[in-house]
């Protein structure tokens, strides 16, 4: 019994002392911090966001993001702060400019091209079919005629 | 018409192949730095060896120099010290920005300037000392403002304190000749 109580107390004490490493003024700040660290890209270990990476620069960027969020800065302000220093590269959502325009245009262009080709081919196909059909018909007619003419 | 249906997709396919093939040989670290053609960010940081002296951007005006981000913990930085020392002998002014590692309060010993100074002095004695002086960026604030992603990195700063080149990685004779020497010549002319 003693051990049971001790175990329960031990387990409880862990839960009671559980404390967040980073403290925020409110939930919206915490959400902002989470979403920002998820979409900012680590310049050192590329293809990891700064929340996942433990590179020195990612640790510093997390710290800076935390400070700026705690100061009450908006999402765009924090993003601008990082982009000013590390370039568009650092944000996983690239802005729309003359270099990135093709990312949006290419799929649309490809789809248009594909649809255009399909429609073009389809518009030709029935004509083609009709031709062979009438050709076949005349051929059949001739065969029937020949067959009939053989019979007395 | 049939020929067109054959050659257009073939051409597109070949174009895509060449594009993807070129991607295999491109360096993902090679990208335009955001700090180019901007003035050095504001800072007031202590000298590594004479901590009573505080460096500010204004004190660095007047001469074109290389700002080399490094740390004794970084093997590549130690390896490039030799060649940088050679450059210093040729008259290139090189300032060190000491990039200190972050410390975990739970596991790491507290920061000791004395230990770091000894460590740096020993490394510079072993490998050569290319630096006029070293600026200690303990919190890596200046490094963050400059867009440093790791060590070693080197900036070319002109006499007005404007960043003119940002090189990620070590400096070796090939890199110096091909990339940095022409820029250094260009910006050090009065």
């Amino acid at each position: 019994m003693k051990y049971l109580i001790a175990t329960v107390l031990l387990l409880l004490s862990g839960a009671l002392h559980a404390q967040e490493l980073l403290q925020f003024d409110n939930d919206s700040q915490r959400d902002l911090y989470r979403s920002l660290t998820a979409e900012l890209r680590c310049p050192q270990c590329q293809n990891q966001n700064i929340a996942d990476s433990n590179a020195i620069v990612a640790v510093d960027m997390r710290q800076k993001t935390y400070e700026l969020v705690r100061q009450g800065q908006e999402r765009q302000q924090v993003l601008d702060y990082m982009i000013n220093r590390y370039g568009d590269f650092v944000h996983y959502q690239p802005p729309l400019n003359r270099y990135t325009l093709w990312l949006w245009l290419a799929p649309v262009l490809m789809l248009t091209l594909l649809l255009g080709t399909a429609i073009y081919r389809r518009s030709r196909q029935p004509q083609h079919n009709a031709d062979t059909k009438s050709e076949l018909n005349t051929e059949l007619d001739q065969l029937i005629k020949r067959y009939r003419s053989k019979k007395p | 018409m049939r020929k067109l249906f054959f050659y257009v997709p073939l051409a597109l396919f070949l174009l895509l192949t060449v594009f993807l093939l070129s991607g295999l040989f491109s360096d993902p670290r090679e990208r335009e730095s955001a700090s180019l053609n901007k003035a050095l960010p504001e800072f007031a940081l202590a000298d590594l060896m004479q901590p009573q002296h505080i460096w500010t951007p204004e004190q660095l005006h007047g001469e074109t120099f290389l700002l080399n981000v490094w740390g004794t913990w970084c093997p590549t930085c130690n390896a490039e010290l030799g060649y940088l020392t050679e450059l210093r002998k040729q008259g290139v002014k090189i300032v060190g920005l000491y990039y200190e590692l972050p410390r975990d309060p739970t596991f790491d010993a507290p920061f000791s300037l004395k230990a770091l100074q000894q460590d740096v002095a020993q490394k510079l004695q072993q490998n050569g000392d290319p630096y006029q002086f070293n600026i200690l960026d303990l919190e890596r604030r200046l490094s963050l403002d400059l867009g440093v992603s790791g060590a070693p990195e080197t900036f070319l700063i002109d006499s007005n304190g404007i960043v003119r080149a940002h090189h990620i990685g070590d400096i070796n004779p090939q890199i110096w000749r091909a990339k940095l020497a022409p820029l250094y010549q260009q910006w050090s002319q009065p």
Side-chain angles (χ1 to χ4, degrees), chain A residues 31-51:
Chain A
D31 291 345
L32 180 61
Y33 175 78
R34 282 214 184 117
S35 76
L36 279 170
T37 52
E39 66 188 76
L40 282 169
R41 181 180 185 181
C42 169
Q44 181 65 30
C45 7
Q46 307 186 347
N47 301 340
Q48 274 193 312
N49 58 26
I50 59 169

Side-chain angles (χ1 to χ4, degrees), chain A residues 1-126:
Chain A
M1 193 62 201
K2 247 194 229 165
Y3 289 113
L4 188 70
I5 292 172
T7 315
V8 169
L9 279 176
L10 254 173
L11 287 172
L12 271 178
S13 72
L16 286 173
H17 286 132
Q19 196 186 18
E20 276 190 308
L21 286 172
L22 295 176
Q23 308 221 307
F24 293 93
D25 295 339
N26 50 49
D27 282 349
S28 69
Q29 274 190 2
R30 182 177 298 110
D31 291 345
L32 180 61
Y33 175 78
R34 282 214 184 117
S35 76
L36 279 170
T37 52
E39 66 188 76
L40 282 169
R41 181 180 185 181
C42 169
Q44 181 65 30
C45 7
Q46 307 186 347
N47 301 340
Q48 274 193 312
N49 58 26
I50 59 169
D52 286 342
S53 171
N54 253 336
I56 308 169
V57 64
V59 173
D60 290 347
M61 283 169 71
R62 275 205 300 268
Q63 177 63 30
K64 195 73 208 178
T65 307
Y66 176 67
E67 283 172 26
L68 295 177
V69 167
R70 280 302 293 271
Q71 284 170 21
Q73 293 213 9
E74 300 290 323
R75 197 187 125 78
Q76 197 54 49
Q77 284 175 297
V78 182
L79 287 177
D80 286 345
Y81 183 94
M82 293 300 174
I83 289 170
N84 271 337
R85 284 156 180 77
Y86 289 96
D88 287 329
F89 171 88
V90 85
H91 193 202
Y92 266 123
Q93 292 169 9
L96 191 60
N97 61 32
R98 63 199 170 105
Y99 299 111
T100 57
L101 190 66
W102 291 103
L103 292 176
W104 280 269
L105 269 187
V108 177
L109 278 178
M110 269 154 84
L111 206 67
T112 323
L113 207 73
L114 205 72
L115 274 176
T117 318
I119 290 170
Y120 176 75
R121 294 190 89 164
R122 192 159 268 226
S123 70
R124 282 187 53 139
Q125 211 109 25

Side-chain angles (χ1 to χ4, degrees), chain B residues 118-136:
Chain B
Q118 276 172 3
D119 191 21
V120 168
Q122 194 198 346
K123 275 273 153 40
L124 293 181
Q125 205 182 6
Q126 276 172 10
N127 303 313
D129 182 359
Y131 304 114
Q132 310 279 330
F133 53 87
N134 268 284
I135 302 171
L136 175 58

Side-chain angles (χ1 to χ4, degrees), chain B residues 16-171:
Chain B
L16 187 71
T17 311
V18 170
F19 174 70
L20 293 177
L21 194 72
S22 70
L24 287 181
F25 301 101
S26 74
D27 182 5
R29 290 182 187 283
E30 196 68 45
R31 57 176 190 271
E32 182 102 321
S33 168
S35 45
L36 276 188
N37 301 324
K38 289 185 192 163
L40 274 177
E42 279 303 311
F43 65 88
L45 291 170
D47 189 280
L48 175 60
M49 292 303 177
Q50 280 112 30
Q52 65 279 4
H53 186 92
I54 304 293
W55 291 101
T56 57
E58 289 73 31
Q59 295 178 42
L60 301 173
H61 288 186
E63 223 182 322
T64 302
F65 65 98
L66 298 181
L67 186 68
N68 180 241
V69 183
W70 76 293
T72 55
W73 50 270
C74 147
T76 315
C77 309
N78 294 331
E80 72 175 354
L81 283 175
Y83 185 64
L84 289 179
T85 309
E86 244 175 75
L87 288 180
R88 182 191 187 174
K89 282 176 194 154
Q90 292 168 23
V92 180
K93 180 181 173 188
I94 303 173
V95 174
L97 181 65
Y98 195 86
Y99 193 73
E100 178 61 3
L101 290 172
R103 266 156 210 285
D104 191 314
T106 322
F107 301 109
D108 295 331
F111 174 74
S112 150
L113 183 63
K114 199 147 209 155
L116 178 63
Q117 285 172 341
Q118 276 172 3
D119 191 21
V120 168
Q122 194 198 346
K123 275 273 153 40
L124 293 181
Q125 205 182 6
Q126 276 172 10
N127 303 313
D129 182 359
Y131 304 114
Q132 310 279 330
F133 53 87
N134 268 284
I135 302 171
L136 175 58
D137 196 8
L138 190 55
E139 308 280 320
R140 296 171 307 284
R141 289 294 153 107
L142 175 57
S143 299
L144 188 80
D145 285 342
L146 277 168
V148 170
S149 61
E153 286 190 17
T154 303
F155 295 86
L156 175 67
I157 318 282
D158 75 5
S159 53
N160 296 318
I162 313 283
V163 177
R164 294 303 181 180
H166 179 182
H167 174 70
I168 297 178
D170 67 323
I171 292 185

